[in-house]
Amino acid sequence: MTPDPHPAAPPDPHPHPLRFGYGTNGLADLRLADALHLLAYLGYDGVGLTLDHMHLDPFAPDVAARTRSTAALLGALGLEVTVETGARYVLDPRRKHGPSLLDPAPEDRARRVDLLIRAVRIAADLGAHAVHCFSGTLPDGTDPDTAWKRLADSLTPVLDAAATAGVPLAVEPEPGHLLATLADFHRLRHELGDPEHLGLTLDLGHCQCLEPLPPADCVRAAAPWLRHVQIEDMRRGAHEHLPLGEGEMDFPAVLAALAGTGYQGLTVVELPRHSHAGPHYAERSLPFLRHATPSPQGSPR
């Protein structure tokens, strides 16, 4: 009998209050199936799946068949999934994250809306916890009030699709974007009338980078709206995703706060600029997080 090239990791005898995943944008040099097998082998609970030309291209003519195949593989491997939409060049090969929901041209904004609606449908077919998105940067010559209106108007049809599919839309505050902070998320939430399917992607490194509250306090403040969590290390004032343990994050404190909220989704390691060594960082990140996470009795492992 030929040995399985991707044997399952032995079951972990210790329960964990949090469920950890790894982002495929940090495994871009692997085929998607190979990335999923790797994460299952390492013992991850799930995956943050970035829709991109190399990993479940949302514009591929056979995307429906690929989605069915991916759903079957996720099920066979026991991996949960959140769909992420941060692919840098999936819409425009020359402009990072372009076009955005804030672009002056309606047809450009419509292209981003179309991507997000496609992502919602794919997420529903995968059984995903949520669909992640972001605002984009303020275009040159656009005043902030106009940009906020464009953002709210652009997200309205996406939220309608999310409500129909029963999949939350989780907006991420991103340093340098129009919607950069938790306060900005609440501005959007109020401008949209607090729709049921609007939630929050909280990147814990971004909290370390620029939020006025410590990351653990950000988690507690954001708890009612949390639908997706990303994690990496970071230093104050520097938006640079670092491997775990190489920045200033107090991981036991922030993970204890997250566990204390009762959050049930995935906490996904976000290291897109370390994709050249993705398997290495995926292997070392999960033991780090498990060691830093409080046990059900309240002490780190």
Side-chain angles (χ1 to χ4, degrees), residues 16-295:
H16 298 277
L18 297 174
R19 304 182 65 74
F20 295 114
Y22 200 91
T24 60
N25 61 1
L27 296 168
D29 291 329
L30 275 66
R31 298 178 185 89
L32 179 57
D34 289 342
L36 298 181
H37 276 287
L38 172 68
L39 297 181
Y41 168 73
L42 293 175
Y44 282 91
D45 301 295
V47 58
L49 174 53
T50 296
L51 304 181
D52 207 345
H53 57 86
M54 81 292 280
H55 288 159
L56 198 54
D57 184 347
F59 299 103
D62 59 345
V63 64
R66 293 188 188 189
T67 300
R68 288 192 297 270
S69 175
T70 301
L73 181 56
L74 289 166
L77 295 173
L79 292 174
E80 300 174 22
V81 61
T82 301
V83 168
E84 303 199 4
T85 61
R88 292 186 178 98
Y89 298 103
V90 71
L91 289 177
D92 186 332
R94 296 178 178 83
R95 188 160 57 117
K96 181 181 175 182
H97 294 154
S100 83
L101 298 172
L102 310 179
D103 278 16
E107 60 271 23
D108 287 342
R109 299 197 298 275
R111 291 179 61 205
R112 177 64 59 173
V113 169
D114 174 61
L115 170 63
L116 295 180
I117 291 175
R118 288 171 182 261
V120 167
R121 293 170 180 162
I122 290 170
D125 290 340
L126 293 176
H129 289 295
V131 172
H132 146 279
C133 70
F134 46 84
S135 69
T137 59
L138 184 67
D140 291 342
T142 300
D143 68 90
D145 287 342
T146 298
W148 279 105
K149 185 177 187 310
R150 288 177 187 165
L151 179 60
D153 290 347
S154 295
L155 284 178
T156 296
V158 183
L159 285 163
D160 290 343
T164 299
V167 179
L169 186 70
V171 179
E172 179 187 4
E174 179 79 22
H177 283 213
L178 177 73
L179 197 157
T181 65
L182 285 173
D184 293 332
F185 167 75
H186 290 302
R187 173 172 177 171
L188 175 66
R189 186 170 64 84
H190 291 305
E191 291 202 9
L192 286 168
D194 202 13
E196 178 183 358
H197 281 81
L198 178 66
L200 174 69
T201 292
L202 189 66
D203 187 309
L204 299 172
H206 296 172
C207 297
Q208 177 69 38
C209 175
L210 56 67
E211 291 284 353
L213 294 174
D217 289 343
C218 289
V219 167
R220 286 184 280 266
W225 300 278
L226 281 184
R227 300 295 179 268
H228 182 43
V229 174
Q230 297 171 343
I231 193 166
E232 66 283 315
D233 217 338
M234 207 167 284
R235 298 186 180 95
R236 186 70 180 169
H239 184 203
E240 180 183 2
H241 290 232
L242 299 173
L244 310 184
E246 297 187 13
E248 299 170 347
M249 180 81 75
D250 184 344
F251 284 94
V254 75
L255 292 171
L258 189 58
T261 68
Y263 171 69
Q264 297 295 303
L266 290 171
T267 300
V268 171
V269 178
E270 184 82 355
L271 291 174
R273 296 186 181 180
H274 293 76
S275 197
H276 63 284
H280 165 75
Y281 287 107
E283 183 174 8
R284 63 174 282 195
S285 294
L286 185 58
F288 181 101
L289 289 169
R290 286 182 170 169
H291 179 74
T293 303
S295 69

